[in-house]
Structures are given as structure tokens and as C-alpha cells.
DNA sequence: CCGGTCGCTTGACCAATATCAACGACGCGC
DNA sequence: GCGCGTCGTTGATATTGGTCAAGCGACCGG
């Protein structure tokens, strides 16, 4: 559970599929070269921890590809999965910019390649390109929006609604449509993580899943789900659920 | 519930107790003068709405003094009190900077004076002072931290713990210590808002309060609370509760 | 002074969820 | 193949919290 990840050869930023979105798009070719030269890439296997809650933050990470879960451990030992982060997401940028220790641990849930940039490099980039700061601000605002939405959902929706919401979100990232089967999702995380994501235990997840099957809303087989009618679920999430 | 607030004479920024903290501290005297000249001040009575969820955002507000609740209405009619904002807090800056409609409604919960700055003025300030953007970023990061903390709390703490947490937070802002009575808090909001803040109904608040009284953790009389031992409560919140 | 509304509380009841325990399936190391 | 741990499931049971209904006191307008 606790390793540093395996160093891998540096991936070029120019060829990176995410170099045109988010913060990267404002960087000049020269700056991109600098980043490519300065960053250190690593591969984390599922279960490996990229950084630990409480640790000092001395740089930030981008997810090149893979899946990362940010976990928060309560003083009493309860663990919550605060969010899932996918390709293109930044990890630890908030703590870096605010000069604070990591609030959450980041753990690879699938094989994940990340690009690491040290505080000094980020500082130079920020000093050299004033627009970069604006884009970090925008990223922070977007993240805030999502967290606030999740917060409201957690406050006044039941487990069933939250589970459907989580599954639908996962579907958007990992699902696909098959003409003969329908909307298929291979759930990329374990039951207990699905539970930690919506604030319950694995038992309740199991039971809620069986309810959904009885109501023919979705069919589950291991980690694969087939949704009968996505629109119906959307509607249920929006209205009372 | 829906008025525009009463215009009041402009309050000088130089004499404002909050002009030295947060974003303001980086402004020059000239810039402060500009702000004073450009802003429009208003007074909102309890129940009046400063802006509505879904409305377009064309400026931002600072709370000069008073208390504001940000409410979020679900598609199914459930209302959550996302956060309480006090003197010195900015309202609507996220939506302004992200160019999005308001996510929540802002309602005065006590008589509240706010300073309004239009988008154009903020733009000019941002263009003229590059450090201002950095400070908005920091504010956003701090707000994110608080929301994320609340989110985790909502995910894996029960009503009782969340209520204690909310009361303690209120105590920090509105409480005081009396040598003969102890730690006294005049709760500044109604029961139903206290309920909406932690995601339950007024009935459950009532019952939870009586439990706390039976356990001699606090004594309630109307909106006044006297805490027996703040430290005990702190401990209970940190550990399992 | 009266009727009405609102905020808060209480009771009774029910639904949702947590908790404890056990079990089968599976993968892994030996 | 065997032992072992993990994952997912299920059952029984306890607890929490939600819902409906009623009551009570304060405040307000007529």
C-alpha cells in the first residue's frame, strides 16, 4: 500500500493528449520543453499511494492516465473516498499553492502514470506566465463546484440516489453502449470503495444493488452493470430518489 | 423573501475593518479610493435575498457585517444550507470569476450590510493589480478546504456529531465566556436552518438537543446554549461521535 | 380580545441504514 | 493441492433518523 511508484521514462508534453487542455494550453513551446525536462514520471500500481494525508507537499502531480482515489481518514478511523480523479486531473495543486500539508491521501486504483513537478518548477512557471495563475484559479473554482454539488447531494439524498449518481458518473467516464446489451459499465473500483465514495459500507451497497435489480433498473454481474434505461435513472436522480 | 435590499450611504473602504485582510490588503490607497467610489452598499433585513440561485452573476458582494446563508434548492424541492458567511466573506466571487450563474441563493439571516462591486470594476482591478488574482485563488482554496471538510463530515458522521460540530463553529463566531455561566452561545439562526445546515429536519434537531441536555453536555433555553465543557465536545467530535 | 400563523417541540410509527456474524468464491503463495 | 486472506454477499438484529400528526406558546393584524 505504501510505495513510491516506479520511475518510468519521461513522457513528452508535446505528445501528451492533455497538453492542450486546462493549465497547459497557455504554455509556450519553450515552456512545454522546460516542463518535459523538469518533470519526473512514475507508474503506480493499484493500491500504491502517491502521497499521504498529512505529509508535507513539495510538488504536484498530473494524471497522465489511470485512476486515482483521494482518501480522507477521520480521527476515529473512518475512511471516506473524497473523489475519483482521472486522466488530465491535477493532484495536490491546492495544497501546493496554499502551502499546506496534503488533506487527503492519493491512491492509484488502476495502473496510473503521473507526471510530477516540483514546487520550484511550478513557481518559475507561475512567475514567467501570469495567465497560468488564472487557470489554476479556474480549476479550483471548477473543483469547488463539484465538491459543493457532492456535498449537497450527501446532505439530502439517500444511499440509493447517491449510488445511482455515482454509477452514472462512472458511466460517463468508463461506460459504453453496445447495440445488443445496452449501456454497459465496468465498475473500475471495488465495492468497499464504492461504499466509501458515498459514505456507507459494502453491505449496504450489496443490498441497494439487489433492490435496483429487482426493480429492473440495472443488471449487475460482478463489476459489470447494464443499465436498462439511462434516462429513467437521470430522471430519478433529479427528482426525489 | 425577495427584495433588493435597501441602498445605504457608501461606507469608506479605508475605515472598513476588513480592508486589511483578504484580497483588500494588496490594494493601494488609490485603488481603495476607486473601490469606495465604485461600490454600492446595501442593507438586507433577515429573510431578504441578496441573489437567487440560477440568476446570472454580474458582480460580487462583500459582507461588511451581518450574517448570510447560502441556500441550495434541489430539483425535488429539498433545501440545503450550504454554508454560513460572516463579516469579511465574499459572496458570488466564484460565479463571477467562472462566468456562471449563481449556484446558491444568498439570504440575509441577520441584518446585513453588503458592498457590491460590478463585474467591470472587478475586471479593472484584476487587470491593474496582478496580485489580486493570486489572492482570489487563495480564497478559493480556503473555501474549498472548508467545503471538503464539511463533505467528509457529512459522509461519515451522524446527526449528533454534525450538530455539535455546527454549534462549536457558531460558538467561535458568536459565543462568549461568562465567568458565572460558562461558554454561552446565542444561536443566530432558526431551528429549521440549523436543520438545513446539517441535512435533517427540525424535529430531529429538537430530539438531538434533548439528548445532549440529558447527557449534561449542554443546556438549551430557546436560542441560548451553555456548554458544560467545550473540550469534551471537541474531543467527542474528533473521536467517534 | 380574537383568530391566525409561525416556530418549536413531542409522540407514535415506520423506513432506512448500520452492525455483527457467517458463508462461498476467488486468487495467491507455498 | 492446501491454507489463507480478500471480496462480495446474505441474514438477523439494533439503531438511527424520517414522517406524520398534534399541541403549545409567541407574535401579529384586525
Amino acid at each position: 500500500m505504501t510505495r513510491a511508484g516506479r520511475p518510468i521514462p519521461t513522457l513528452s508534453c508535446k505528445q501528451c493528449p492533455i497538453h492542450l487542455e486546462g493549465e497547459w494550453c497557455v504554455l509556450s513551446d519553450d515552456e512545454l520543453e522546460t516542463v518535459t525536462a523538469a518533470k519526473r514520471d512514475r507508474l503506480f500500481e493499484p493500491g500504491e499511494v502517491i502521497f499521504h494525508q498529512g505529509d508535507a507537499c513539495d510538488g504536484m502531480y498530473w494524471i497522465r492516465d489511470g485512476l486515482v482515489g483521494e482518501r480522507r481518514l477521520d480521527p476515529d478511523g473512518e475512511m471516506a473516498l473524497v473523489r475519483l480523479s482521472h486522466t488530465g486531473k491535477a493532484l495536490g495543486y491546492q495544497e501546493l499553492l496554499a502551502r499546506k500539508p496534503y488533506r487527503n491521501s492519493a491512491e492509484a486504483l488502476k495502473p496510473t502514470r503521473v507526471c510530477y513537478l516540483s514546487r520550484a518548477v511550478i513557481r518559475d512557471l507561475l512567475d514567467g506566465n501570469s495567465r497560468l495563475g488564472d487557470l489554476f484559479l479556474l480549476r479550483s473554482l471548477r473543483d469547488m463546484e463539484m465538491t459543493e454539488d457532492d456535498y449537497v447531494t450527501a446532505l439530502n439524498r439517500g444511499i440509493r440516489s447517491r449510488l445511482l449518481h455515482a454509477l452514472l458518473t462512472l458511466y460517463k467516464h468508463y461506460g459504453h453502449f453496445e447495440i445488443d446489451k445496452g449501456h454497459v459499465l465496468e465498475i473500475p473500483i471495488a465495492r468497499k470503495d464504492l461504499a466509501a465514495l458515498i459514505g456507507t459500507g459494502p453491505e449496504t451497497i450489496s443490498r441497494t444493488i439487489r433492490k435496483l435489480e429487482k426493480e429492473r433498473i440495472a443488471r449487475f454481474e460482478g463489476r459489470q452493470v447494464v443499465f436498462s434505461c439511462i434516462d429513467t435513472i437521470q430522471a430519478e436522480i433529479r427528482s426525489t430518489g
Side-chain angles (χ1 to χ4, degrees), chain A:
Chain A
M1 177 175 172
T2 311
R3 269 182 290 164
R6 187 164 64 81
I8 53 175
T10 298
L11 301 157
S12 158
C13 289
K14 292 288 275 287
Q15 291 160 27
C16 177
I18 62 177
H19 97 273
L20 291 177
E21 31 176 284
E23 293 76 6
W24 301 116
C25 70
V26 300
L27 295 186
S28 68
D29 282 1
D30 276 1
E31 286 167 325
L32 270 186
E33 297 282 356
T34 309
V35 170
T36 301
K39 75 193 178 77
R40 295 288 172 262
D41 296 349
R42 290 180 179 276
L43 170 67
F44 291 85
E45 296 296 333
E48 292 187 334
V49 175
I50 300 168
F51 53 76
H52 284 272
Q53 174 180 351
D55 280 1
C57 169
D58 64 346
M60 61 203 288
Y61 299 82
W62 260 272
I63 303 176
R64 169 69 181 248
D65 46 44
L67 176 64
V68 174
E70 287 185 51
R71 300 183 189 277
R72 178 85 141 252
L73 203 61
D74 259 26
D76 56 309
E78 286 297 309
M79 188 272 288
L81 199 46
V82 179
R83 72 178 62 83
L84 299 179
S85 297
H86 315 267
T87 300
K89 280 282 180 185
L91 296 173
Y93 78 99
Q94 306 214 356
E95 290 87 346
L96 183 77
L97 296 173
R99 301 170 187 277
K100 297 200 171 176
Y102 291 117
R103 295 197 292 269
N104 311 308
S105 300
E107 177 186 327
L109 301 179
K110 285 177 159 299
T112 300
R113 291 188 296 181
V114 299
C115 306
Y116 172 80
L117 282 171
S118 72
R119 173 196 302 278
V121 174
I122 297 283
R123 266 291 137 225
D124 286 348
L125 287 172
L126 283 172
D127 290 343
N129 190 332
S130 66
R131 288 204 54 209
L132 192 56
D134 298 346
L135 292 176
F136 275 116
L137 173 56
L138 286 181
R139 181 179 283 266
S140 171
L141 296 177
R142 272 201 304 271
D143 285 349
M144 175 64 161
E145 192 180 333
M146 298 189 65
T147 302
E148 202 176 281
D149 287 351
D150 285 345
Y151 177 49
V152 173
T153 302
L155 274 193
N156 51 30
R157 298 304 185 91
I159 296 288
R160 174 208 172 93
S161 183
R162 306 219 294 273
L163 177 58
L164 283 174
H165 185 72
L167 290 176
L168 229 55
T169 305
L170 287 170
Y171 177 79
K172 281 171 197 154
H173 281 277
Y174 298 99
H176 64 276
F177 183 76
E178 291 179 26
I179 190 66
D180 51 336
K181 299 184 74 172
H183 299 276
V184 181
L185 164 66
E186 197 74 24
I187 303 175
I189 61 177
R191 290 287 192 273
K192 74 168 159 35
D193 283 336
L194 202 49
L197 190 60
I198 66 178
T200 183
E203 302 98 326
T204 299
I205 294 289
S206 264
R207 286 187 238 278
T208 309
I209 280 178
R210 272 189 311 119
K211 272 189 209 163
L212 294 177
E213 286 205 308
K214 275 187 191 155
E215 301 172 30
R216 313 241 176 251
I217 289 173
R219 292 190 310 110
F220 293 79
E221 200 175 322
R223 288 197 176 180
Q224 180 175 281
V225 205
V226 180
F227 299 104
S228 311
C229 178
I230 291 272
D231 296 340
T232 308
I233 300 175
Q234 286 275 18
E236 167 161 350
I237 289 179
R238 303 220 157 273
S239 76
T240 190

